[in-house]
């Protein structure tokens, strides 16, 4: 879980020092993206500490958030590869023994996959409750064969659209041509809200 920092109490960091950190740890050269004004409204010289424009700040920040999201997904995949599916389900980050009960069209060209407990009947006649889990809407998830290995590419990845007691609906860009007819498992990778929430900037 990312550590929250109170920006009001954080020490001041110069733009030059921030650029050095970005280049050292992320390989991003942000020096050319800075704009320089001769003075601030209060008369202080800003030549030694140029400022990013609002658009440049948003662009750089989005790149950093995307890097964080990719690292979080990679960490989740590596963790899943070194533990048994049963252990992952006990932690609430994996659901085993699911089946695809329905496929329907969704918004923005995505498809919605409805996953239910394989021990129950179809949703029209009543489905069994899902095991306890920690999955919620907007989680990034991977769908794999229930008893397959966690290594290698999944059948499909997507974002949880809806969570019910008896079903989880996953929005995917493309429905796999095969593999959904077998027992499935659902693995939590990351949360999309933390990565793609809109910027709230006061200027």
């Amino acid at each position: 879980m990312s550590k929250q920092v109170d920006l009001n109490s954080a020490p001041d960091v110069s733009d030059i020092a921030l650029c050095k950190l970005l280049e050292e740890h992320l390989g991003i050269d942000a020096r050319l993206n800075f704009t320089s004004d001769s003075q601030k409204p209060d008369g202080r010289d800003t030549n030694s500490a140029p400022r990013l424009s609002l658009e440049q700040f948003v662009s750089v920040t989005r790149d950093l958030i995307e890097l964080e999201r990719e690292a979080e997904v990679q960490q989740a995949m590596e963790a899943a590869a070194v533990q048994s599916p049963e252990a992952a389900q006990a932690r609430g980050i994996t659901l085993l023994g699911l089946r695809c009960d329905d496929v329907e069209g969704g918004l923005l060209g995505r498809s919605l996959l409805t996953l239910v407990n394989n021990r129950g009947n179809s949703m029209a006649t009543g489905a069994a409750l899902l095991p306890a889990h920690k999955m919620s809407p907007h989680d990034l998830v991977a769908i794999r064969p229930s008893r397959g290995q966690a290594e290698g590419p999944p059948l499909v990845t997507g974002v949880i659209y809806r969570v019910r007691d008896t079903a989880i609906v996953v929005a995917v860009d493309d429905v796999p041509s095969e593999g959904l007819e077998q027992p499935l498992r659902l693995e939590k990778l990351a949360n999309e809200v933390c990565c793609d929430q809109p910027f709230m900037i006061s200027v």
Side-chain angles (χ1 to χ4, degrees):
M1 180 178 296
S2 301
K3 182 179 179 181
Q4 294 183 347
V5 178
D6 184 359
L7 296 180
N8 294 324
S9 62
D12 291 336
V13 179
S14 69
D15 294 332
I16 294 177
L18 180 60
C19 284
K20 290 181 179 179
L21 290 173
L22 290 173
E23 185 172 9
E24 177 181 354
H25 295 284
L26 299 174
I28 297 176
D29 186 358
R31 290 173 298 178
L32 297 180
N33 293 327
F34 278 80
T35 58
S36 178
D37 297 323
S38 60
Q39 284 189 333
K40 289 185 176 181
D42 60 6
R44 289 184 294 161
D45 186 6
T46 61
N47 289 330
S48 60
R51 298 291 179 179
L52 278 172
S53 70
L54 178 60
E55 292 78 9
Q56 292 163 347
F57 170 79
V58 171
S59 177
V60 171
T61 302
R62 287 192 184 279
D63 290 341
L64 294 176
I65 290 175
E66 179 62 22
L67 287 174
E68 182 182 9
R69 184 184 71 87
E70 292 176 357
E72 187 176 352
V73 169
Q74 182 63 31
Q75 184 180 27
M77 289 184 172
E78 291 175 355
V82 298
Q83 62 182 337
S84 68
E86 292 76 13
Q89 179 165 261
R91 294 178 56 198
I93 58 176
T94 293
L95 285 175
L96 302 173
L98 304 178
R99 62 181 171 83
C100 184
D101 190 61
D102 189 28
V103 179
E104 59 180 327
L107 297 175
L108 304 176
R110 286 188 167 185
S111 298
L112 301 179
L113 308 182
T114 300
L115 305 179
V116 300
N117 196 324
N118 199 32
R119 297 179 179 179
N121 299 318
S122 67
M123 292 188 67
T125 58
L129 294 176
L130 295 173
H133 59 82
K134 298 179 181 178
M135 299 186 189
S136 58
H138 307 295
D139 282 347
L140 293 173
V141 291
I143 299 176
R144 300 179 184 273
S146 188
R147 297 299 176 182
Q149 297 295 322
E151 300 175 353
L155 294 173
V156 67
T157 59
V159 178
I160 292 181
Y161 175 69
R162 183 181 296 118
V163 176
R164 300 192 182 106
D165 292 339
T166 58
I168 290 182
V169 180
V170 180
V172 300
D173 290 328
D174 298 298
V175 179
S177 57
E178 58 183 15
L180 294 181
E181 71 284 349
Q182 61 185 315
L184 304 170
R185 81 169 179 259
L186 191 66
E187 297 176 350
K188 179 177 179 178
L189 301 178
N191 189 282
E192 192 78 354
V193 171
C194 298
C195 304
D196 292 337
Q197 58 184 331
F199 288 97
M200 301 297 292
I201 302 176
S202 299
V203 295

